Amino acid sequence: MERRPDPDPLETNDVAIITGGTALWAVALVGLLVAKAAGADVRDWWWQMCLAGALLGLVGIRYCRRRRDRILAGSPED
């Protein structure tokens, strides 16, 4: 049986996907901080995890934008 060729990769909007995920982490962070300020029993690592997710998301947005711009400009990826 003959192997079929690999399909072409899908074109996705990576910046929009990473931005959406980062926004969700930020919303969760704000929600947890509001709940903590209202006196709810919020574990410290919950809001710290959301903060880490939001900050790493910002790094991911910057990376994806630079990568997208380099691909559109036609320069090789590093």
Side-chain angles (χ1 to χ4, degrees):
M1 190 161 113
E2 207 172 308
R3 184 175 184 269
R4 291 189 277 179
D6 294 334
D8 292 333
L10 295 175
E11 293 294 324
T12 60
N13 188 350
D14 298 335
V15 176
I17 294 168
I18 300 297
T19 302
T22 303
L24 290 174
W25 281 115
V27 167
L29 175 63
V30 170
L32 285 172
L33 292 177
V34 167
K36 186 176 181 86
D41 182 27
V42 176
R43 301 189 190 279
D44 284 340
W45 71 269
W46 288 358
W47 68 265
Q48 292 169 357
M49 182 67 68
C50 292
L51 178 63
L55 292 176
L56 287 172
L58 293 175
V59 172
I61 291 169
R62 182 168 183 242
Y63 172 80
C64 286
R65 282 183 179 167
R66 289 183 65 196
R67 181 177 180 271
R68 177 194 61 197
D69 294 343
R70 285 185 178 184
I71 289 171
L72 292 176
S75 64
E77 287 187 61
D78 291 320

